[in-house]
Amino acid sequence: MTTTTAITHIASLVTNDPSLGDGSPLGLIQDAAVVIDGDRIAWVGETSKAPTTDNTVDAAGRAALPGFVDSHSHLVFAGDRTQEFNARMSGRPYTAGGIRTTVAATRAASDEELSANVAKYLAEALCQGTTTLETKSGYGLTTADEARALRIAATHTDEVTYLGAHIVAPEHADDPAAYVALVTGEMLDACAPHARWIDVFCEKGAFDGDQARAILTAGRAKGLHPRIHANQLSYGPGVQLAVELDAASADHCTHLTDADVDALANSSTVATLLPGAEFSTRAAWPDARRILDAGATVALSTDCNPGSSFTSSMSFCIALAVRDMGMTPDEAVWAATAGGAAALRRTDVGRVSPGARADLVLLDAPSHVHLAYRPGVPLVSAVWRGGERRV
C-alpha cells in the first residue's frame, strides 16, 4: 500500500497547467500544497484546502516547480578537454582534435568507467533539480562502441539517443559515404534495440542535408524517432529537415532564416536552445525572443558534453537565457520543464498536476524567478523524483 505525502505552505508553485492557479502558462498557485501518492501527483491546490495525508512536509514559504527536463546531453564519454577550453578562452589556437579527442578516450575506456561517468553526471544533475535527462551516444563511432554506449546509457535513463552521426569517424574521413552506409546499416541494426531516438549533427564539416535525411529516415524505419542538431554554427537545412520529418526537436537553432522560424512555429517540432554551448564557445546567442514571438515551442537544455558545454546546471542555462537570449524568467522556467518534456514528447513530466509523475523541486527562495535573479547560487533545497525524495 502506498503512502501519501502532502508538501504544504509552498510560497509559489509552478504547475505548468494553465487550468490551475492564476491561469498563466505557469499555472502559479500561492500558498500551495501538493499531494504525492506513490510515484504520482494526486492533488494540487491551496494549502488551506489540502486533504489529509499520511505524511506532511512543510515547505516553509519556499517556491516549488516541476523537476527540470534536460532533453539534450552527451554523457557517455571518457577523457578531458580542459586544455582545449583553456586555449579557446585564452585566445590561443588549439589543434588537438576536438570531438576526435573524446572519441579516442571513450573507445579506450572500460564499460565500468563509462557507466560510472554517466552515473556521476546524472547524480550531479539531480542535485541541481534535473529529474528527467536525455543522453546520446556519439563518441564511439564504431558499431561496437556506439552499441555499448547506448547499452550503458539505457541502464541510467529511459531517454536514450543514437548519435552515430555525430561526425564522420576518423577511419572513414576519406569516404564519408561509406560511413553513412555504416550508420544507416550495420551500426543502426546494433544500436536500435537500445535507443528511443536517432539524432544527426547536420552542419558543415559533419553531415549535409541529404546525408542527414538518409540517416534519420533509416532510423525512423527501425522505430527510432528523429531529433537533430540543427543550424548551430551556420545557416543550413537542419531546421527545415526537422520539420519535414516531424522531428521531436531541432537543437541549437542559432542561425535561423525567417522561413526556418515560420516552419518551427507551424509544426510540433520544438526548438531546443542550448545556451551553455554559446557561453563556452563565445558564439552568438540564439534569439529566443524571435522564436517565441513567432509562436514556436522552445525548450532549454544543458548540452552537457566535455567539449563545448560542460555544465549539468539547468538553473545556469535559465539565467543565461534570461540575460542573453531575450527570455523572461517565466518563459525560461517553462522551457526548462514543460518545454523539455515537449522536446521528448512526454506528457507525464514537466508539470505538477494530477496524474503527472511526482517530480518536484523545492527552492530555497520564495519564487522561481530567483533561478535567474540569483545566478550561480545553489538554490535547490529538495528534490522528489517519482514520488521519492532524492535530495
Side-chain angles (χ1 to χ4, degrees):
M1 190 170 116
T2 60
T3 58
T4 55
T5 299
I7 306 168
T8 61
H9 300 296
I10 299 167
S12 178
L13 172 66
V14 174
T15 68
N16 287 339
D17 185 339
S19 72
L20 299 172
D22 65 357
S24 71
L26 293 190
L28 292 171
I29 304 175
Q30 308 303 318
D31 191 16
V34 175
V35 174
I36 297 171
D37 186 351
D39 66 350
R40 297 283 146 176
I41 303 291
W43 183 91
V44 174
E46 296 173 8
T47 293
S48 62
K49 300 174 183 175
T52 302
T53 55
D54 301 314
N55 305 302
T56 302
V57 175
D58 188 348
R62 294 178 175 86
L65 67 156
F68 296 127
V69 180
D70 189 346
S71 60
H72 183 129
S73 79
H74 304 251
L75 299 185
V76 189
F77 70 89
D80 180 87
R81 282 157 69 184
T82 302
Q83 290 180 319
E84 176 185 333
F85 176 79
N86 192 29
R88 187 165 62 235
M89 293 297 110
S90 303
R92 300 194 305 269
Y94 183 82
T95 57
I99 290 173
R100 288 170 182 81
T101 304
T102 303
V103 169
T106 303
R107 288 178 177 180
S110 68
D111 289 10
E112 292 74 21
E113 288 169 325
L114 293 177
S115 185
N117 222 23
V118 175
K120 172 185 175 181
Y121 294 115
L122 279 172
E124 184 179 278
L126 182 67
C127 288
Q128 298 174 90
T130 298
T131 52
T132 302
L133 191 144
E134 179 270 1
T135 200
K136 309 175 193 295
S137 65
Y139 293 125
L141 309 186
T142 68
T143 297
D145 283 304
E146 285 294 294
R148 79 161 177 154
L150 295 170
R151 282 197 305 271
I152 289 166
T155 65
H156 296 280
T157 179
D158 295 333
E159 298 295 347
V160 177
T161 301
Y162 166 47
L163 182 60
H166 198 180
I167 58 170
V168 174
E171 299 84 357
H172 293 85
D174 296 329
D175 192 359
Y179 187 65
V180 172
L182 177 66
V183 167
T184 57
E186 172 192 299
M187 188 186 289
L188 174 62
D189 291 342
C191 289
H194 308 293
R196 182 181 178 205
W197 306 97
I198 184 167
D199 197 344
V200 59
F201 187 19
C202 183
E203 188 64 65
K204 292 171 185 174
F207 299 90
D208 65 23
D210 290 340
Q211 292 169 327
R213 179 182 287 102
I215 290 162
L216 295 177
T217 301
R220 196 165 60 175
K222 286 285 186 179
L224 303 181
H225 202 90
R227 45 200 328 109
I228 186 168
H229 286 61
N231 302 54
Q232 177 186 4
L233 305 177
S234 59
Y235 294 97
V239 164
Q240 297 289 340
L241 182 61
V243 171
E244 173 193 327
L245 298 180
D246 187 35
S249 66
D251 296 30
H252 289 289
C253 293
T254 309
H255 300 276
L256 302 180
T257 64
D258 289 345
D260 293 333
V261 174
D262 186 60
L264 288 167
N266 289 286
S267 75
S268 59
T269 298
V270 174
T272 299
L273 308 183
L274 310 168
E278 281 74 35
F279 177 87
S280 298
T281 60
R282 291 185 175 146
W285 299 101
D287 188 349
R289 182 79 271 133
R290 177 186 178 205
I291 301 169
L292 287 164
D293 287 349
T297 301
V298 169
L300 284 176
S301 185
T302 63
D303 192 18
C304 186
N305 77 81
S308 61
S309 184
F310 204 7
T311 180
S312 56
S313 173
M314 290 288 279
S315 296
F316 176 63
C317 292
I318 288 169
L320 291 179
V322 171
R323 167 64 177 80
D324 291 305
M325 287 162 43
M327 299 182 82
T328 68
D330 284 10
E331 288 169 338
V333 166
W334 191 95
T337 51
L344 294 173
R345 301 233 162 135
R346 295 277 293 269
T347 58
D348 61 326
V349 296
R351 63 185 174 94
V352 179
S353 56
R357 195 173 75 183
D359 295 353
L360 191 74
V361 174
L362 207 59
L363 301 179
D364 193 13
S367 165
H368 64 279
V369 177
H370 281 236
L371 291 166
Y373 180 42
R374 305 200 67 209
V377 178
L379 295 176
V380 172
S381 64
V383 179
W384 284 262
R385 186 182 186 279
E388 179 184 348
R389 185 164 180 174
R390 302 292 298 276
V391 176

